[in-house]
């Protein structure tokens, strides 16, 4: 599996940096954001290193579909029943800080810190 030893999210996948995990299988990991914007704020990532959405091809479509499709179940499991946001930032103008594709899923009662 593709792995970048300098990537913070690859280190989380490898267990070299601790995280509060919400779900894991052979190709995806979900963990809670360290600086949440909302009462519930998780990040869904592929375990394989893909730096940005610019590197995504049609081969990644099933993986991205799985990431999106797991959001409602995850939110329900965390008591989020009144709506949530899904967000993928890409590149500099997209304000992507961590160069490993991740989908933010944010929910819970407002006010939120951002968004
Ligand atoms: P981006 O701006 O790249 O879309 O979002 C990166 C997110 O990763 C930010 O919301 C930030 O709080 C989160 N983050 C950065 N480093 C860590 C970390 O070491 N652990 C966890 N759990 N989240 C992190
Ligand atoms: Zn990575």
């Amino acid at each position: 599996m593709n792995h970048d030893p300098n990537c913070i999210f690859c280190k989380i996948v490898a267990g070299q940096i601790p995280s509060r995990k919400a779900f894991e299988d052979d190709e995806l990991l979900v963990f809670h954001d360290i600086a949440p914007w909302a009462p519930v704020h998780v990040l869904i990532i592929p375990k394989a290193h893909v730096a940005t959405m610019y590197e995504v091809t049609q081969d990644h479509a099933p993986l991205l579909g799985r990431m999106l499709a797991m959001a409602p179940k995850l939110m329900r499991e965390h008591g989020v029943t009144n709506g949530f946001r899904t967000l993928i930032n890409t590149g500099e103008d997209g304000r992507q800080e961590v160069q490993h594709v991740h989908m933010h899923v944010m929910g819970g009662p407002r006010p939120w810190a951002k968004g």
Side-chain angles (χ1 to χ4, degrees):
M1 187 179 289
N2 198 13
H3 173 91
D4 176 346
N6 298 314
C7 168
I8 193 165
F9 285 178
C10 284
K11 288 182 184 172
I12 286 177
V13 169
Q16 292 160 353
I17 293 176
S19 67
R20 202 177 131 216
K21 290 179 188 172
F23 176 83
E24 180 169 18
D25 68 13
D26 56 338
E27 59 180 5
L28 294 177
L29 176 65
V30 185
F31 55 97
H32 292 265
D33 197 293
I34 203 165
W37 305 357
V40 178
H41 183 170
V42 297
L43 302 173
I44 305 178
I45 70 168
K47 284 190 166 177
H49 182 80
V50 181
T52 85
M53 286 294 288
Y54 281 123
E55 279 70 47
V56 165
T57 67
Q58 283 302 314
D59 290 345
H60 297 99
L63 190 68
L64 288 167
R66 286 197 61 219
M67 288 166 66
L68 192 56
M70 72 168 52
K73 182 170 183 284
L74 268 170
M75 288 297 101
R76 278 199 200 95
E77 285 171 358
H78 287 83
V80 174
T81 54
N82 200 41
F84 58 88
R85 281 189 168 172
T86 50
L87 171 70
I88 302 177
N89 294 324
T90 300
E92 189 177 344
D93 287 346
R95 297 249 167 96
Q96 181 181 1
E97 287 171 13
V98 176
Q99 306 303 306
H100 180 131
V101 166
H102 51 281
M103 188 167 79
H104 298 258
V105 190
M106 295 160 281
R110 287 183 178 272
W112 295 0
K114 285 198 234 176

